[in-house]
Amino acid sequence: MKNIFSVLRKSTLIVGFIFYALIVNAQYVVNFEGEGELKPSYASATVNLSGLDWDMTDALITTTAAGLPEFINGERAARMRGYGTSSMTMLQNKSNGIGNITFLYRRYGTDTQVDWKIEYSTNNGSTWTQIGNAFTAPASDDVQTFSENVNVDGNVRVRIKRATEDGTVNRRLNIDDIVITDNTGVQNVATPVFSPPAGQFFGDIDVTISCTTPDASIFYTTDGSEPSQSSTPYTDPINISATTTLKARAYATGLDPSIIAQGTYTIITPIQVANLGELRAAFPSTDYFKINGEVVLTFQQTFRNQKYIQDANGAILIDDLSGKITTAYNLGDGITGMIGTVTEFGNMLQFVPAFDPGEATSTGNQIDPVEITITEMTANFEDYESQLVKIADATFADAGAAFENGLLYPISDNSKASAEFRTTFYDVDYIGTLIPSGAGNIVGILNSRTEGNYITSRSLGDLEWFYGEPTNYPTAFEATTTLTTIKLTWEDATGEVLPTGYVILASDEDNIIAPVDGVPVSNDPVLSDGLGAMNIAFGAEEYVFADLPVNVTYYFKIFSYTGAGSAIDYKNDGNPPSAEATIILTIIPEPTNYPTAFAAAATGSNIKLTWTDATGEVLPAGYLILGSSQNNFQSPADGTPVADDPNMADGVGAMNIQQGIQEYSFNGLEQQTTYYFKIFPYTNDGQYIDYKTDGEPPFAEATTATVELVTVINSTFNTDWEGWTTISVKGAELWDRNNTFGVDNTACAKMSGFANSQSNENEDWLISPALNLSNTTNEKLTFFSALGYTGPALNVKISTDYAGSGNPGDATWTDLTEQAAWPSGDPFWQWTSSGAIDISSYGSATAYVAFVYYSTSQNSATWEIDNVLVNGEGSNSISSPGQDFQTTIYPNPGTGRFNIQLSRQADHLEVFSLTGQLVYKQPLSGDQTPIDLTHLKKGVYLVKITDLSSGMFSTNRIIIN
């Protein structure tokens, strides 16, 4: 880290001298150092920078105490988050136009970078024109300069934003020292461009310099001095063989000289090592290394783009979080000439590549695992770390259980030693299969974590278990049909050697071939194409194939087996049990009649639909209700079921209702909106569903009222627990607050069961203060969560009978976990919105929300929670905004720039998302006001305009497209 900051200090001095000359003549400078130029979070806000207001969305102003390495010239700089919505936009005009615009930029930390662009507007932000080309910071700590001549007159404003408007993953960028000169009427020569751009290189590099101004002459220096017409003229590519700061300036008749282009080319000479043994022996070192010999790929996974490589002298894990290696490799590929650094994380030595080594230099290499005992594994782990090994005659203590991700499984062998098998690799095919019993061979890669050393298999084929063929087949094998499904049942096999499991083979032809020993059969549950197969664990005695075509006979055979992978041993002698069944379906014609008395009634933002069941010779099996805010229905098609869609945030919805039920409500709809509905009866289901669509299906409509969004609780944990209670049911660890790593780098709640270098068993509750839901309707819960490491899932629950203190086990809690969206943990610490969770069924009561953390002695994830919000619709919602407070918003829908026309005085405007989150606010004056919401994502929003003196308000829906 010391080396990184040393480079930064030198870079800061260099760019500081460059900008001194520019700032002297600049008319508008933003260096983020002014009094009050503070913005600690990414949330959208207005900041006055050097006298002009800017909107900063998914952008903040960072300080030298920020933590991760970042470029700051002085005490503060801007940090752009890198989301699709990230932008800095001037809200006021700069007079005297723009001559040249220049600023410095560099990646934040080691974030992968994305494309950015800068634009200007001469019509108050109605339209924008791009300045120069889009730019992307290099994957290095080298400070870059953006400089372009614009030469436009009049009042003008600029913005810096993501060029590609998508993504919600941190791709952060530092920006500092924005300099905008007046347009003097004298044009500059275009700034020279270097190719390739400055950065890190391994070995000599030839740099070309170009200029878009016709007949321009380019002069350059390599000693740090300012180029002039007395400097070296550029004619041929410049060979750079040592770290060099290249500067260039272009001249042309009748034009002012160009802005000086500069870039630092860092030439790295890596230390040459012959093999992986020499590489491992060189650690610790911060140098770059080049592995001259060929290494072979033994395993790879998408997590952090990790790869395991080895040669005759050692092995190592490639940890490629930044994705430098872009070539696709197969297991057994040889790779030559890899360059990178060596680090250690969690006691595991790791190789961090500097760039892509290119195509494989050989393919199909066979890596035979070295056979070791568990005693050798534990005594000499470093000698075998990251290497493919085999432990013979190993036994699992948890035989018969199913493998799960991220857990530890004790093993032992004939050396009378014990160790742990860890399911470190995700998406491998043995997760969910049964742990083999008895003794067998474990092939795997040795890997480390802070808490211990482990072996992990790459696939089911690495578990070599030889039990001998099962003694018997299962008995009573039968097939029965129900509609378009076939259910297979049997009784478990008995005998001296019991099966590990069964494989069922299925076909629409009576020609099933027995499986072959040593060749596992993959699962294929889709039998509708005529072939299927399923592996079933011993002890399960049924399986169902569904969605099958009618009038087809299917044939089945079941085979017992022991072992797994290359050691799988099928019983395939004699006559395996067989069964057959034919799908015969009675098709019911379409319903005779529609239902009657179909009506819609609105209450607040809810619409309740009622009807009277259809009568006639053929009664329906159910009804399909279609809803729309546009009254543009398309009738359903026979044979194509319509899925339930109760969420009408996008303007359309659908629900299937059983015959006999005569009402349904769509809740939480947009206010002051007319919704239209049609109802269609149907018979049968699946591919045979038959809708009644002739004539005129029943139609109904209703208009929702204006509602007031009420915040029940909005917990950020920024200053304290804000009334939340922490209760430990089991374990010594407790929920805590972290002041740094929350959303927008604020505080958050955090819980981990890892302490004293080990995982610990815990059950810990984080319980909200009492939530009064008696004055609201259509309540929604949202929150943000982040995850690091592996362990049990976090739960979210709600209770209406919790006493407010004491043991939460004494109350009744409803689990809401499955209704929330959660982070995957790949990569760690990605803040993820839960989405809106409907808790309206707990209205008219006092409720408590709880986050429940679990960990075991084997696994303990770290969970973080932030920005917990519960809102609902106020009970004082009105049917219309009132004739004395009319609001017109146009154009609506629009691109984000709207005009507000008011019928009376109002002084406050707020914009809410459909989940009730406040996303924008501004004061109002006069009866007509423009608003700029171009920084918001496309979608539907609610605009609330309030007269603060009287409390009267008007609420309108707007659409940004």
Side-chain angles (χ1 to χ4, degrees):
M1 191 65 72
K2 181 171 66 177
N3 290 341
I4 293 175
F5 283 113
S6 177
V7 171
L8 288 180
R9 285 196 293 268
K10 293 176 182 178
S11 299
T12 302
L13 289 173
I14 291 170
V15 297
F17 283 118
I18 293 171
F19 273 85
Y20 177 75
L22 290 174
I23 293 172
V24 168
N25 296 317
Q27 301 303 304
Y28 182 64
V29 178
V30 175
N31 57 17
F32 305 99
E33 307 292 335
E35 183 178 355
E37 294 184 358
L38 302 171
K39 186 177 185 291
S41 70
Y42 286 118
S44 179
T46 298
V47 183
N48 190 277
L49 301 174
S50 300
L52 296 179
D53 284 345
W54 290 65
D55 173 82
M56 297 183 70
T57 295
D58 279 323
L60 54 77
I61 297 175
T62 184
T63 68
T64 53
L68 286 176
E70 54 188 316
F71 169 68
I72 301 175
N73 188 18
E75 294 298 320
R76 297 194 291 269
R79 188 198 306 156
M80 312 292 288
R81 194 174 195 175
Y83 283 18
T85 51
S86 289
S87 65
M88 285 180 55
T89 305
M90 288 174 62
L91 301 177
Q92 295 174 276
N93 291 327
K94 172 196 172 299
S95 59
N96 301 322
I98 302 176
N100 174 269
I101 183 167
T102 308
F103 56 86
L104 306 178
Y105 64 94
R106 203 208 75 178
R107 69 174 180 177
Y108 170 79
T110 58
D111 280 8
T112 301
Q113 292 298 292
V114 291
D115 52 352
W116 298 87
K117 65 181 178 180
I118 184 165
E119 300 172 319
Y120 73 88
S121 173
T122 57
N123 55 7
N124 302 321
S126 295
T127 59
W128 296 87
T129 301
Q130 184 168 331
I131 300 172
N133 297 320
F135 63 95
T136 302
S140 71
D141 293 333
D142 297 317
V143 177
Q144 307 296 311
T145 302
F146 181 97
S147 180
E148 287 289 341
N149 293 321
V150 182
N151 298 319
V152 295
D153 292 322
N155 293 327
V156 66
R157 59 184 66 180
V158 300
R159 69 178 178 184
I160 304 171
K161 65 191 298 291
R162 270 291 305 273
T164 305
E165 297 179 350
D166 60 16
T168 56
V169 177
N170 286 339
R171 297 289 186 259
R172 293 164 291 188
L173 177 83
N174 285 128
I175 289 177
D176 207 351
D177 293 338
I178 303 171
V179 180
I180 306 174
T181 65
D182 285 356
N183 182 28
T184 62
V186 178
Q187 294 190 358
N188 294 79
V189 178
T191 305
V193 175
F194 299 155
S195 180
Q200 287 187 158
F201 298 90
F202 297 88
D204 293 7
I205 185 74
D206 287 331
V207 179
T208 61
I209 310 177
S210 60
C211 178
T212 58
T213 300
D215 301 322
S217 299
I218 302 172
F219 298 85
Y220 71 92
T221 63
T222 57
D223 61 0
S225 62
E226 302 298 301
S228 67
Q229 287 175 296
S230 299
S231 303
T232 305
Y234 173 78
T235 56
D236 297 308
I238 304 162
N239 181 262
I240 297 177
S241 58
T243 298
T244 300
T245 297
L246 178 63
K247 296 183 180 183
R249 175 175 261 175
Y251 296 82
T253 303
L255 299 175
D256 279 1
S258 73
I259 299 298
I260 295 175
Q262 81 155 37
T264 299
Y265 289 82
T266 303
I267 306 300
I268 298 173
T269 302
I271 297 173
Q272 310 283 320
V273 293
N275 52 57
L276 293 177
E278 290 186 14
L279 178 70
R280 293 183 66 92
F283 182 79
S285 172
T286 59
D287 293 314
Y288 282 87
F289 294 89
K290 180 178 182 181
I291 308 166
N292 289 324
E294 185 179 64
V295 299
V296 177
L297 180 67
T298 58
F299 181 72
Q300 59 186 338
Q301 62 178 356
T302 57
F303 175 69
R304 299 177 66 92
N305 303 302
Q306 289 182 340
K307 296 173 174 61
Y308 287 83
I309 56 174
Q310 70 180 69
D311 59 19
N313 300 95
I316 200 167
L317 164 64
I318 297 175
D319 188 65
D320 186 18
L321 179 60
S322 59
K324 293 294 180 65
I325 299 178
T326 56
T327 300
Y329 296 112
N330 298 313
L331 298 189
D333 280 355
I335 309 169
T336 304
M338 298 194 71
I339 295 177
T341 57
V342 182
T343 64
E344 188 175 56
F345 180 79
N347 295 331
M348 185 89 170
L349 211 60
Q350 300 180 343
F351 182 79
V352 181
F355 63 90
D356 181 46
E359 295 298 320
T361 50
S362 65
T363 59
N365 296 287
Q366 179 68 35
I367 295 292
D368 295 321
V370 58
E371 186 169 323
I372 63 173
T373 65
I374 292 180
T375 296
E376 291 172 311
M377 169 185 164
T378 56
N380 305 297
F381 188 86
E382 290 294 327
D383 295 340
Y384 300 105
E385 186 181 77
S386 297
Q387 191 170 346
L388 188 67
V389 302
K390 176 191 286 189
I391 299 175
D393 297 319
T395 302
F396 280 95
D398 298 315
F403 283 116
E404 297 180 47
N405 272 321
L407 296 184
L408 303 180
Y409 300 95
I411 58 173
S412 57
D413 69 352
N414 290 337
S415 69
K416 308 303 181 184
S418 61
E420 290 175 312
F421 179 100
R422 188 179 192 277
T423 46
T424 300
F425 306 143
Y426 285 70
D427 300 324
V428 289
D429 58 358
Y430 55 83
I431 299 301
T433 67
L434 298 183
I435 299 172
S437 59
N441 302 331
I442 300 176
V443 176
I445 292 175
L446 299 191
N447 58 98
S448 299
R449 293 168 64 87
T450 304
E451 59 268 30
N453 299 324
Y454 313 106
I455 183 172
T456 303
S457 292
R458 303 164 300 170
S459 67
L460 193 59
D462 279 348
L463 299 173
E464 301 175 346
W465 251 253
F466 302 92
Y467 298 106
E469 184 178 284
T471 305
N472 293 311
Y473 288 108
T475 57
F477 187 52
E478 295 182 350
T480 56
T481 63
T482 302
L483 295 176
T484 59
T485 66
I486 296 179
K487 181 178 182 180
L488 301 167
T489 58
W490 60 91
E491 294 179 7
D492 270 325
T494 59
E496 182 178 354
V497 179
L498 295 176
T500 302
Y502 309 101
V503 64
I504 299 171
L505 300 184
S507 174
D508 59 3
E509 296 184 16
D510 190 10
N511 58 358
I512 294 174
I513 299 174
V516 178
D517 292 344
V519 183
V521 177
S522 299
N523 288 338
D524 177 12
V526 181
L527 182 54
S528 57
D529 60 0
L531 292 172
M534 281 304 298
N535 290 274
I536 309 295
F538 179 78
E541 297 181 312
E542 66 176 50
Y543 182 74
V544 173
F545 286 98
D547 297 325
L548 301 174
V550 298
N551 301 320
V552 176
T553 299
Y554 291 95
Y555 304 88
F556 306 91
K557 288 187 177 182
I558 187 168
F559 300 86
S560 311
Y561 66 81
T562 57
S566 60
I568 197 166
D569 192 349
Y570 293 101
K571 180 174 179 60
N572 47 26
D573 58 339
N575 296 311
S578 60
E580 64 180 79
T582 302
I583 297 293
I584 300 175
L585 181 66
T586 301
I587 305 298
I588 301 174
E590 78 173 26
T592 305
N593 294 312
Y594 287 106
T596 58
F598 187 52
T603 302
S605 64
N606 302 335
I607 294 181
K608 182 178 181 179
L609 303 167
T610 57
W611 61 91
T612 301
D613 270 329
T615 59
E617 183 178 353
V618 180
L619 296 177
Y623 305 100
L624 170 67
I625 299 172
L626 297 182
S628 171
S629 60
Q630 301 297 321
N631 195 15
N632 54 357
F633 295 97
Q634 183 174 356
S635 296
D638 293 341
T640 306
V642 177
D644 287 344
D645 178 15
N647 183 358
M648 293 188 67
D650 58 355
V652 294
M655 280 303 298
N656 291 275
I657 309 295
Q658 289 183 348
Q659 161 81 352
I661 299 175
Q662 300 179 85
E663 64 177 50
Y664 181 76
S665 293
F666 287 96
N667 298 324
L669 303 175
E670 295 175 25
Q671 52 189 310
Q672 289 184 273
T673 301
T674 300
Y675 288 90
Y676 309 89
F677 304 92
K678 285 188 177 182
I679 188 169
F680 301 86
Y682 61 82
T683 52
N684 311 312
D685 59 12
Q687 60 186 312
Y688 305 104
I689 196 166
D690 193 347
Y691 294 101
K692 180 174 179 63
T693 56
D694 59 336
E696 290 294 329
F699 172 86
E701 66 178 86
T703 301
T704 55
T706 298
V707 297
E708 178 186 8
L709 294 174
V710 175
T711 298
V712 179
I713 187 174
N714 185 6
S715 297
T716 63
F717 308 111
N718 285 353
T719 57
D720 54 38
W721 278 116
E722 300 175 16
W724 288 71
T725 303
T726 61
I727 296 178
S728 178
V729 175
K730 183 182 298 182
E733 288 66 50
L734 298 171
W735 278 95
D736 195 7
R737 288 177 58 253
N738 182 287
N739 290 321
T740 305
F741 297 118
V743 176
D744 297 333
N745 295 328
T746 59
C748 66
K750 180 179 180 180
M751 178 64 201
S752 174
F754 189 80
N756 300 319
S757 301
Q758 65 181 17
S759 294
N760 302 282
E761 187 175 4
N762 280 271
E763 179 185 337
D764 284 83
W765 291 63
L766 178 63
I767 305 177
S768 73
L771 308 179
N772 181 6
L773 306 181
S774 61
N775 297 321
T776 55
T777 58
N778 293 325
E779 295 86 359
K780 300 292 192 298
L781 163 68
T782 61
F783 58 87
F784 282 81
S785 62
L787 166 65
Y789 311 109
T790 56
L794 189 69
N795 288 191
V796 58
K797 301 183 179 185
I798 190 169
S799 174
T800 56
D801 62 1
Y802 180 58
S805 62
N807 185 3
D810 296 336
T812 302
W813 294 87
T814 301
D815 198 331
L816 306 174
T817 306
E818 294 299 321
Q819 300 180 43
W822 300 93
S824 65
D826 181 11
F828 290 171
W829 316 125
Q830 293 299 301
W831 282 108
T832 302
S833 173
S834 64
I837 302 171
D838 187 355
I839 57 171
S840 58
S841 59
Y842 304 93
S844 302
T846 297
Y848 294 84
V849 169
F851 295 96
V852 189
Y853 174 91
Y854 299 96
S855 62
T856 70
S857 59
Q858 295 179 323
N859 291 89
S860 54
T862 299
W863 281 95
E864 296 175 338
I865 293 293
D866 205 357
N867 292 4
V868 184
L869 173 70
V870 174
N871 60 25
E873 298 171 7
S875 58
N876 61 338
S877 298
I878 53 178
S879 299
S880 64
Q883 296 300 316
D884 60 341
F885 198 170
Q886 295 295 322
T887 303
T888 303
I889 303 179
Y890 63 93
N892 189 14
T895 60
R897 295 181 180 85
F898 300 92
N899 292 298
I900 307 292
Q901 182 71 51
L902 303 175
S903 64
R904 55 160 292 156
Q905 178 181 347
D907 44 22
H908 190 62
L909 176 143
E910 297 171 300
V911 180
F912 297 87
S913 68
L914 290 181
T915 61
Q917 184 73 40
L918 178 66
V919 296
Y920 179 80
K921 64 181 179 180
Q922 75 172 55
L924 296 176
S925 61
D927 59 1
Q928 184 164 342
T929 303
I931 59 172
D932 185 352
L933 303 178
T934 54
H935 61 281
L936 297 180
K937 295 179 180 179
K938 296 178 181 179
V940 180
Y941 296 86
L942 300 177
V943 177
K944 180 180 178 182
I945 297 172
T946 307
D947 175 12
L948 296 178
S949 61
S950 66
M952 292 193 63
F953 66 90
S954 171
T955 307
N956 296 72
R957 182 191 68 165
I958 60 170
I959 300 175
I960 300 176
N961 55 24

